[in-house]
Amino acid sequence: MKKMTAALLLLLSVNAFSAQIQNCKFEQGTNIRNVVILNDKGNSSIQKILSSSKSTDEKKDQIKRILFIESVSIGDGNSVCELASKQYKVTEEKCQKVMKSSDLLSLTLEETDESDNISLECKIGVNAKLLMQFNM
């Protein structure tokens, strides 16, 4: 199990640190502009984990690791927290806390109704944005 997790993290680290900014549409035409989302590799890795038959604890552990990797800054300005600090006017420390929080993890694991037409990247991005902008 640890070897598989290490391989997953190594694979992600090659493609990590390239978050994107995108507009997200939700039900009834609600449009949320300039949402910081994970890169395609991070999103697809989380989707594979959610679709797997692993236990909930294993899913939580692996998703938490991916969210952490995506939020780490290497100084190029393209990590989730670097973009979020510019877009949402939050500190990188607060962003790191949100990305590692059990709240974001729980919202990511929550089942989404197919009729909502919410993509995984928008679900994670909008929930992270709301948590970052909420004064805790």
Side-chain angles (χ1 to χ4, degrees):
M1 182 63 187
K2 289 184 180 184
K3 289 180 182 180
M4 188 170 82
T5 302
L8 175 67
L9 293 175
L10 179 62
L11 178 66
L12 282 173
S13 66
V14 173
N15 294 309
F17 316 119
S18 59
Q20 306 163 18
I21 297 175
Q22 162 181 317
N23 294 335
C24 293
K25 283 194 172 199
F26 289 90
E27 70 272 352
Q28 292 104 23
T30 303
N31 192 23
I32 300 176
R33 299 185 56 188
N34 301 324
V35 177
V36 177
I37 61 169
L38 305 178
N39 67 34
D40 294 335
K41 191 67 173 174
N43 284 317
S44 65
S45 296
I46 291 174
Q47 186 60 56
K48 286 179 188 174
I49 292 167
L50 291 173
S51 301
S52 73
S53 60
K54 296 177 183 185
S55 71
T56 303
D57 288 338
E58 288 176 307
K59 288 180 181 181
K60 284 181 180 180
D61 184 51
Q62 289 183 349
I63 291 171
K64 193 172 195 174
R65 291 172 194 246
I66 291 170
L67 291 173
F68 174 74
I69 289 171
E70 293 292 330
S71 64
V72 172
S73 169
I74 61 170
D76 65 352
N78 292 325
S79 75
V80 169
C81 286
E82 287 173 319
L83 290 177
S85 66
K86 293 174 193 168
Q87 284 298 119
Y88 309 146
K89 308 281 191 266
V90 297
T91 64
E92 285 194 41
E93 291 81 18
K94 181 162 187 175
C95 175
Q96 288 284 337
K97 285 181 186 178
V98 167
M99 295 304 285
K100 293 188 284 185
S101 74
S102 58
D103 292 337
L104 182 60
L105 189 58
S106 296
L107 291 168
T108 302
L109 288 169
E110 220 174 67
E111 290 291 322
T112 303
D113 187 2
E114 293 290 326
S115 64
D116 289 340
N117 294 327
I118 301 170
S119 65
L120 178 63
E121 60 267 15
C122 282
K123 179 180 174 182
I124 294 170
V126 170
N127 286 328
K129 178 180 180 176
L130 292 173
L131 289 170
M132 284 180 213
Q133 293 180 330
F134 182 72
N135 283 332
M136 295 197 262

